[in-house]
Each structure stands twice: as C-alpha cells, then as structure tokens.
Amino acid sequence: VSEATAQKTAQQVLALAKRLAPKTEASVWLSEGRDQHLRFALNGVTTSGDVSTTTLRLTLKAGLRVVQASTSQVDAASLQAFVSRLVDALAVAPESPEAQPMLGPQKYLLSPHVFEEKTASAPYATLVEKAKQLIEPSAQAGLVSSGFCSLRSGVLVVATSAGLVASARGASMGLAVTSRTADGKGSGKESVSVRSVGAVDALALGKQAATTARATAKLKPLSPGRYTVILESDAVSNLLGFYVGSLDARAAAEGRSAFAKEGGATRVGDTVAPSFLSIVSDPQSKEAAGYSFDEEGLPLTRRAWVEQGKLMNLSRSRFWAAKNNQQPTGGYPGFTLAPGSTSQSALLASVKRGVLVKRIWYSNLVEPKSLLVTGLTRDGTFLIEDGQVVGAVNNFRLNESLVGMLQRCEGVASDSGLTDEPSVFTPAMKVADFTFSSVSDAV
Amino acid sequence: MRLSRRAVLAGMAAASAVEAKGLVIEGQGEAVISAGLDAAKAAGASYADVRLHRRRNESLHVRDGYVDDLSDDETYGLAVRVLCNGAWGFAASPTVSPEGAKVLARRACELAKANAAILTQAVVLAPQGRVDGAWQTPLMQDPFRLPISTKVELLQDVCERLKKVPGVSIANAGLTTRLEWKLLGTSEGSRIEQRITRLGPSYGATAIDRQSGEFASRRWDGQARQAGWEWIDESHFLADAERVGSDAVEKLKSPSVTPGVKTVVLHPSNLWLTIHESVGHPTELDRAMGLEANFAGTSFATLDKLRNYTYAAPFITLYADRTTPGGLATCGFDDEGVPTQKWNLVEAGKFVGYQTTREQAGWVGEKASRGCSYAQDYASVAFQRMPNVSLAPAKQDLGVSELIEATDEGLLVVGTGSWSIDQQRYNFQFSGQMFYELKKGKIVRAVRDVAYQSNTPEFWNSCDLLGGAKDWQLGAAFDDGKGEPMQSNPVSHGCPPARFKKVNVLNTRSQS
C-alpha cells in the first residue's frame, strides 16, 4: 500500500465520520504492513510466514466524551458499519477530564533513515539466504543453532478532522541466532535489527554466536556478589528500557516514582549520572531512527532525557502538559545512550576484576522507588581479571537499582550500540558494584 | 423451578455445541475454507488448514472515578497453513474471501517450498480423525451485550470504595473483555467453530506519603476468567475493595522484611504464577527440544528425564487441562483440530508428561497430540502453547487459615508482584502484593519489600504441606508471551495454598 493510498483511506474515514456526526472531532491512525519471517531451530527451518496486516484506529470526540476503536477491515461496507457503531458509542460515552482537542496541521522533520526501498522490497528468498548464513557456522562446528529472520515494511498515516496529516513509510530487517553446544553446556547469541537490508553480515553473526557457544562450554563457578561489570549493548538496552520507561512527569509529580522528591518536587534538574552520560531520543538519527510523529500526530524531534548527567526532561502527555502549562513531549519509544570516548575493549582493559555480561534475560521491575530490576545473565557471562577476559562463568540473577547503576557508571563505550530494536542504540557500559544476588544453573 | 448455577451452566455447556455453529455471520466461511484448501492441494500441499479468526478486545480504564481509556479493537482475517515436502508455510491477510484464500494458499506453498533449502527434519503429523464440532464459553450474561455505562459505573463504584479508605491517594480500575471467534477447516475434512469470551476485571489502590517520599500500591487478587458478566459477582469484585484500600495503607506503613531462609506459605493468589513459570513452561516440548532456544528459552525438563525424574514432593500432582471450567486456555479443540483433554505432567512427584501438538507427539513416542496448538489471531502461525496447568488439591481439605495455624514461624505471601525466571526454568524470583509474618500459627504483622528466590526442583521438593479443595483457586495470565514473532496466549492455573521450607527471602530495599 502506498502512502497516497493510505492517506486517501484515512481521509475517507474522516469524511464518513463528518457525514455521520458533523459536530464531532475525529482522528485516524492507519497502519498497513507486511511481515515476512522465518524461524529456525536444530539447524533447520521450523515455521515461516508472509503476513499482511491492516489496523485502522478511529478516535471520536464530542466535548469531553471520547471513544476509540480499531478494525482490520477497510472495505467500504465495513468502514460504514465501523464508523456508524463508533458514532453510536460516542453518544453514550462517559466524559473524561483528560480529553484533548484533535491536533491541527503540524510541521515535521524528515526521518531519512527509517525507510529503505531495498529493505521494503526484499523477497522471502532473502530470509532463506540469511538463515543459511546464520546456521552454517554452527552446523559446520557440530553446534546447534536456532534463530529468527524477519523483514518488515509498512506505511503509517495519522490524520485529524482539524487538518493534521502525517505519513511515513518504514522498513526493517531483524536477524538473530543462538548457537548452543550439543551437550547444552555452552550458548551464544547475536541479534540486530536494522533499517537497511545490506547493513548486516549474517555469516559474521553466525560465527560470533558459535564462538561464544564454544567459549562458554567450560565454565568456572563464580560466587554471587557485587562486581564491576561490562554490560554489552543488548544488556544495556534491556536495563535502560526500564529507566526510560519510568521517566513520567505525572508519576513523579504525584509522588509515585523514582523521580519524585521528598516534599513533592521532581528530580528534573538533578544530577542523576556522571557528566559523560547522556540519554536522548532522536527519531531523525541514523542509529536509532523512527517516525517523526507519534500516535496523535505530535512532532517528534531530538529530546534529551539525561544530558551530561543531569535529568533534563520527564515525559508529558498532552493532558498533563496542558494542566501544567508545558509542552507535551510526544510518545517515542526509542532512545540512544550517547557513545563515550573509549572503546569497549579499553573499558574492559580498565577492569581489575569483574564480569562481562553479553545479554540479560527475563528482567522485571521489582521496586519502583529505586527502579530495582531483577533478571538473569544469559548467552555469555565471563570473568575479567587484570583487564582480560579469562574464561566463562556461571550465569547470575541480578538485582540492581537503575538509579544506582547510572550513578555508578564508570564509562560508556564508543563502539556500535546496535540492538535488536531498530530505534534503540546503546553502546556497552562499565558499572561498578553491580549486584548479582544468586547463581543461575541455566545455560 | 429455580436451577442452580451449576445446573444452568451444565445445560448451557450441553447446548453450546449446537449454538456455537453459525453464531457469527460468516456466511461465506465454507466457501473461503474450501477455496483455500483446494488451492493448497493444487499447489502441492500434503496438509493444509484454513482459519478465519476474529479477535475483539474492549478495554476500559477508570482512574479516581473518571474514564481515561475506552477502546474497542477488533482484528479479523484469514490464515492458511500448509505442509509441502515436509516443510511448513504460512500466509495471512485481513482479506477474507474465496479469492483471497486461494492467493494465501499459493503463497504459503511458495514459502514451504523455498524452505526446503534449509529443512533438516521433515514434519510428520500425528493422525487426527475428521472432526465436525463447535464449542463456546458457557456463560450467563454476554459482557459484550451490556451497555458501556454498566461497566463504567462498576469501575467508578470500586474506585469510590477505594478512595473512601483514609490514606488512599489514587484508585485505578480496569476491565478487559475479549472475544475470540474462529472457524477452522483442515484438508482432512474437519470443520470446527468456536466462540470464546474472556473477562479481565482489575483494580488497585496507591497510598502516598509526600513528605517522606514513600508510596505503596496494592492490586486486587481477583483473576481474569473465561466467563460472562456473572464473574463480576462471583469474583467478589466490589466486596473486596475496602480491604484492598486498607491493605495499601497498611503496606505503606509496614516495616521492611528481615531477609533470610524462611518457611513460606503461598496463597493460591500467589502460587498460580509460580506454577506457570516453574511447571507450565518447563513442560512445553518445543522448549525441551530447543525450538525456543533463540527466544523464550529451553528447559531443564529434558527428554531423558521423562518418567525418570523427581520433580516435586511425592504428594504433588500437577496436570494440564484445556477443559478446566473458567480456564482462559479452555476450549473444545485446538487450532489444528484436536479435541482438548486433561493429562498429568507431574504425577506423585515424578515428571511424566509434556505439552504437545500434532507435529510433536511422535517426538516423545506418543501416538496423538495433547491438543496444545494455538494462534493468537489471524496473523499468527499456530504453534505449541500452554494449556491450563494446575496443582491438584490434597485429600486432606486444609485451607489458607489451616496452613497458617500449622506454621510455627514463616511468611505468608498473597497476590502476585514482580516475577522472573531463568531461561531453563531453574532460578526464579517472585514477589507478591501483601506479606505477613507468621508466628505460632498466627499472623503477627504485615511487612513489605519481599521477594522469594528458589530453584524449581528444590522448591517443589521442599513443599511439606499442601492445601485441599477448600481454597483451590484459578489464577490467570491474559497475555503469556512466547514465539517469534511473539504471540500472547491466555492461560489459567489452579492451586490450593501450599507451604514450602527453606526458601530464600530477600529484602528488595536492601538490594538497592
């Protein structure tokens, strides 16, 4: 589906809503997408798919009454019935003091890195070829691989009865491979998601996963405790996701957040990390590209959450911003941990005794005030002594305060921070006194 | 004559097999299925299934008495799955028509044939006879037929009750109502129509002390259910509100727990999630075989341990059951046409069974599937998903209060909080909503900042006292994630209260 066709459908829905309910405000969010995917395990294909999806979400507002519904059916008859039902629902909807007027025309920056035609038009055979390359190093070495390859493309439109029109195309490719030794004692994983189909060397990913699997097959026991750690990109992304997700102005103002202060103020303006650490969202950036507008059509541009160690912003919905005479921040799920000035290998070389963590698994928030997160290391945990990786160790359960983790951060790597989310970029990080509370027997 | 609810439900269940057929107006259903199956066969498929799948999710949320979210989301579309030369292929689209089915069938076969280049083991399906069936949720009152005002008023009522408790700062209430309708046709001649209704009421209170910067939240322990609106009354939704509000205030003021190795009594409102993670997931055969190694993980319950491993104390039996009344995973047939059933996973402490699909049954020497194939919506490939997995009650009918009375010193954990388990399902850490110190058979006081850590086989072998049917309850997870692309599966877990010795209790505050 082209952008023009999707825009036309959105305008048809707005016209239909206006005809059926002339005094009603309306907003349409339309996503048309295609997802080709291939899954493999035991060094061979398991499931695969070529899936088309359509989601049309319509929001109607009259005074303080708001209703929202979505459908996958966008033929004329279905849309007529869908809009009619929602108009009827609006008539009996309850009022909400949080209701906001529909946005009018907005200006957007270009997000030049979110779409590449080669990625969007890549055939299914691309996935078969990538899967072969991911599997091959394991299969040749007597290891057992599993993984997932996907190609996603689509068009997104937001339009309102107040004249807002935003649209964009997006595409991405995701590759992931886990390599395990046949006896199940070693495991390694590599995964990336990128906007450009040509940006990743699948064979190199497969080789690296196999190398980690072999390296972890013979491990030495290491006791739980507090260690200096080097967290690789995926581990950082996993943990920082909880931190960024908690940057909510309303929760802080209401006193139910790690960013609330005793007595009622928030921590905006406070120093929350060393001065070399910055966390930003920037949909126009190459490394963490995303759409330039959110679900309501608000423009999204670079926004610093933590800049040079200082908490600069908390996320504000349109309702909360209006209530506090501030500008809304828009909802953007992506973020970048600004790269530091030393390489990951140099960071590692600076560790006297510590642990290298490649990935973190099944993390969950335990305690919201300190942002205590639990989770487990997986697919590569190594002991560092005198700046060198000296061997694999058992996996750990971690219980770590993210507020404390940022304060104890001793460096961010300058290397690539690609993750398995195309809008998240997080280079490796060195953290002192990181808490491993118990040993996990899992490999 | 007034009938008991049990009798009414029994009658409805019996009638449902008839009523479900043709419940939703998809007059072209048979034409679409036939077109898809014929096209798949013509394109070389040795097996095919065509699924029309509708999923509706109504979501309502009230904060401090006013509605801040009201949405009604529906997906409807067509899925075609094929086997060509021993490889799976799948294609799906929201276009539901005979012509659309042909296009999808041909595309699914193209994918299956392309997959031959990296196929290492041809798929062999366990046999399944032709089924002409229908099934629907037994219910008294369809929640989708109620006016939205009824639901809003209920949530406003519960918020008002919560806010009446001195010290409660914020009250939240929500209601998720889901309808799943599907029509499945297979190349073996099966035609199955199912209509499943699930209801997820919830609420919670937060107490905040602005001066100290402390806050505490308490969520209601009630659970989602496959049921009609009658579940609202049966679940004590309104009746529990004042206690939940008081709990939030008490929790805020409670002392922090003293960590250490303790005896824990797990209320059914907590234990169900531990069962989900430490028994439900490890006994999924795809995990044990390594099919989920790249994402959801593998399992310590490997094939060599089947019928040869002590999983739990000898008085413990854990069973899988896709027929449990009210269970979120309960249905008549799975998504490859296999009638649902009940079987043991752990019997008298021994590991005896896996969850399987038709593809997997032969991997463990079984002749038929256990009926565990499920797809979350039209856009998703059916694969092995968890049935309701439950802990059988002991014959001695002890309830929560009897377990407390029998405990000289320990900790009672109520409700679910944070949860996490390693990828082979050994090391886990769970929290809860409320925690009470027990001494000499009595609750002494509430404490906070609790999480318990253990290792699955150690934990289940450390159980020394099991409750009976008296307080056996179903807990539920509406969106259990697994697979790539990830899909959610609704599932329930029943259990009585149980007591476990020598469990490591953490103080989560001191970990910070």
Side-chain angles (χ1 to χ4, degrees), chain A residues 45 48 50 52 68-70 72-73 96 98 124 178 189 253-254 263 362 364 370 378 397 399 439-440 443, chain B residues 63 66-67 71-74 76 92 94 107 115 118 210 277 293-294 419-420 422-424 427 429 512:
Chain A
V45 65
S48 59
D50 186 349
S52 300
Q68 189 176 82
S70 69
S72 59
Q73 302 298 305
S96 171
E98 296 190 13
Y124 181 76
T178 295
K189 178 173 179 175
E254 290 174 346
Y362 215 139
N364 211 335
S370 64
R378 177 177 174 178
R397 170 169 296 287
N399 272 289
V439 165
S440 159
V443 175
Chain B
R63 181 195 150 117
Y66 65 84
V67 175
S71 60
D72 190 349
D73 301 305
E74 187 170 78
Y76 176 51
R107 180 61 179 151
N115 288 339
I118 46 172
R210 300 304 300 268
E277 299 287 16
N294 185 61
W419 64 96
S420 171
D422 72 37
Q423 65 97 2
Q424 290 187 308
N427 178 310
Q429 178 176 310
S512 304

Side-chain angles (χ1 to χ4, degrees), chain B residues 158-171 203-207 216-220 239-254 433-434 436 446:
Chain B
V158 82
C159 282
E160 192 177 329
R161 293 176 190 224
L162 292 167
K163 291 294 287 267
K164 272 186 182 170
V165 176
V168 169
S169 308
I170 297 171
Y203 61 86
T206 301
S217 294
R218 166 69 159 118
R219 281 202 315 272
W220 178 54
D240 290 344
E242 190 179 340
R243 181 177 54 77
V244 168
S246 300
D247 281 354
V249 178
E250 183 180 16
K251 188 175 177 181
L252 177 65
K253 297 171 181 169
S254 296
Q433 287 297 306
M434 295 298 290
Y436 300 95

Side-chain angles (χ1 to χ4, degrees), chain B residues 280-442:
Chain B
H281 281 307
T283 55
E284 293 171 319
L285 184 53
D286 54 356
R287 280 178 184 267
M289 291 290 291
L291 271 66
E292 282 286 335
N294 185 61
F295 181 64
T298 58
S299 173
F300 76 90
T302 44
L303 269 67
D304 56 304
K305 294 190 174 86
L306 186 62
R307 294 180 279 276
N308 187 31
Y309 181 73
T310 302
Y311 204 112
F315 50 86
I316 285 178
T317 290
L318 293 137
Y319 60 93
D321 186 2
R322 295 197 77 186
T323 69
T324 305
L328 293 190
T330 297
C331 56
F333 310 88
D334 77 351
D335 284 346
E336 48 189 10
V338 178
T340 51
Q341 57 179 290
K342 176 182 177 181
W343 72 104
N344 285 342
L345 301 170
V346 175
E347 190 172 298
K350 300 291 182 194
F351 172 41
V352 296
Y354 281 112
Q355 307 156 41
T356 63
T357 63
R358 293 181 64 185
E359 178 183 358
Q360 298 169 344
W363 299 350
V364 283
E366 295 186 355
K367 291 180 179 171
S369 163
R370 296 291 188 177
C372 294
S373 179
Y374 177 77
Q376 71 168 9
D377 55 20
Y378 80 86
S380 302
V381 188
F383 73 125
Q384 194 267 298
R385 296 313 307 263
M386 197 190 298
N388 307 305
V389 172
S390 298
L391 172 59
K395 285 180 183 165
Q396 190 181 4
D397 201 7
L398 304 177
V400 175
S401 52
E402 285 89 356
L403 263 65
I404 293 170
E405 285 168 17
T407 302
D408 192 47
E409 186 164 5
L411 192 72
L412 170 67
V413 183
V414 179
T416 54
S418 176
W419 64 96
S420 171
I421 189 165
D422 72 37
Q423 65 97 2
Q424 290 187 308
R425 306 277 147 179
Y426 286 113
N427 178 310
F428 62 69
Q429 178 176 310
F430 293 96
S431 186
Q433 287 297 306
M434 295 298 290
F435 317 95
Y436 300 95
E437 282 183 359
L438 307 177
K439 276 188 183 159
K440 296 180 179 172
K442 288 189 169 20

